[in-house]
Amino acid sequence: MTTWSTTVAGRSYTFRHLVEVLAKASPRRSGDELAGCAAETDAERAAAQSVLADLDLSTFLTTPVVPYETDEVTRLILDTHDAAAFSAVSHLTVGGLRDHLLETVTLPDAGERLSALAPGLTPEMVAATSKLMGNADLISVARATRVTSAFRSTIGLPGRLSTRLQPNHPTDDPRGVAAATLDGLLLGSGDAVIGINPATDSPQAAADLLRLLDDVRLRYDIPTQSCVLAHVTTSIELMEAGAPVDLVFQSVAGTEAANRGFGVDLAVLAEAHQAALSLDRGTVGTNCMYFETGQGSALSADAHLGVDGHPVDQQTLEVRAYAVARAFDPLLVNTVVGFIGPEYLYDGKQIIRAGLEDNACGRLLGLPMGVDVCYTNHAEADADDMDTLLTLLGAAGVGFVITVPGADDVMLGYQSLSFHDALTMRQTLGLRPAPEFEAWLERVGLMDAGRVPPVDAALSPLRALVGGR
């Protein structure tokens, strides 16, 4: 077995496996400490980063972090690797790739170059490189990428910030869902998706919510897509029954065992993808899958162990989840960055760093990334931390964020962004909604010259839109 050694401040450090190098090179976070794989000191972290910087990128093609024989995610990563795209950087080390990326972002055709490179990068290469980057590096590289997807609206165009309108209700009451949807539309939210987390596992309840959202969309001719975030097998059942399914949703993770904990594998995801494609409900594109991820999900499922039982750090496993998403050409992928809790991301500093990592790594792999800028009430974080992360993500070109009434999800019990937060970011950074949705907002009087009018001014055209009710 290969080991790596280096000396920092007069002390020698030895790492027994690539998995250990990756884990101990990671910025500090509570999940890795919980798993027992984090660096014990800043000096050990620096030593691991030094070793990592000098590793050849080809090492990741011959040294899996999770065994090839027992993990279908590893097989997916290695069996679909694009050697031709990789040839442009195959001679580089991890540190060399970092330098290459930071040089590339200064070029006028940076977006095209990064798009061409994406199929040649494995999640482990990208995760490793991000561990050598500061926050400003992550922002710079993410902003230079160009990733778009489309269904009824186009997500990810430069100068755009889309939103998921999340009208959750603790009992799936249609009146509550409708009220929250109206609130979001009034404030220009919903161009990425109007997506509901159902309070129950009932297929009938999911079907009722789908019909409610589809009726709103059709009645007011809104160029967006809806999604009830039921389990993928429920979505398959609903499609077979003729329900108006636009996007198929599923939470995914970076190991076969963690996905098994979610009740899915690659085969069932492929079945759902083909079923959704066959419905042909999109108008400007055919991307019809929606995936959610989050650092710590594999650890929380006790499905985080790699080669020889070494625990794999949560950020590397998170980026491996993006390989699963990439295989199905999704419309949307978002990390629910602070949702799992302080056991995995302890405070605002760790949440901010993880959000920037996830956005940059996903975009480098060619994914239409979004972020649920959020925290749980028992984390050492607050709304100011979320304002900071949202602003940084806006600068980093994030494709979409999740918005809920008043920034407080009353069904899931966590803090996210409000519709007003997204408006503020669009106005502050000069960003706009998806073009199809923006044209609709202007047509119905909910936007004028790129700005959403005050609510009183918006209500008049809205009342006309709903027939005076």
Side-chain angles (χ1 to χ4, degrees), residues 215-224 440 443:
D215 178 62
V216 171
R217 178 188 67 81
L218 290 171
R219 184 178 302 183
Y220 307 124
D221 193 26
I222 308 172
T224 190
W440 177 79
R443 186 169 70 248

Side-chain angles (χ1 to χ4, degrees), residues 3-15 41 43-44 46-48 51:
T3 60
W4 293 272
S5 298
T6 192
T7 301
V8 172
R11 178 175 174 180
S12 178
Y13 294 90
T14 298
F15 306 99
T41 64
E44 185 180 27
V51 168

Side-chain angles (χ1 to χ4, degrees), residues 185-188 423 426-427 441 446-448 450-454 458:
L185 291 172
L186 273 170
L187 292 166
L423 271 183
R426 283 173 176 165
Q427 293 169 359
L441 289 171
L446 295 177
M447 178 173 280
D448 181 24
R451 291 180 175 270
V452 173

Side-chain angles (χ1 to χ4, degrees), residues 397-459:
V398 71
F400 71 101
V401 293
I402 291 180
T403 53
V404 304
D408 184 2
D409 191 304
V410 296
M411 193 277 280
L412 292 175
Y414 78 118
Q415 307 302 308
S416 187
L417 298 176
S418 72
F419 306 132
H420 302 79
D421 292 330
L423 271 183
T424 297
M425 199 47 47
R426 283 173 176 165
Q427 293 169 359
T428 301
L429 298 181
L431 303 172
R432 296 154 61 193
E436 301 86 356
F437 193 80
E438 181 181 43
W440 177 79
L441 289 171
E442 292 176 343
R443 186 169 70 248
V444 300
L446 295 177
M447 178 173 280
D448 181 24
R451 291 180 175 270
V452 173
V455 171
D456 287 346
L459 282 174

Side-chain angles (χ1 to χ4, degrees), residues 216-235:
V216 171
R217 178 188 67 81
L218 290 171
R219 184 178 302 183
Y220 307 124
D221 193 26
I222 308 172
T224 190
Q225 34 285 328
S226 63
C227 184
V228 172
L229 281 66
H231 191 270
V232 63
T233 54
T234 300
S235 294

Side-chain angles (χ1 to χ4, degrees), residues 83-97:
F86 179 60
S87 64
V89 295
S90 61
H91 60 291
L92 296 178
T93 62
V94 175
L97 178 59

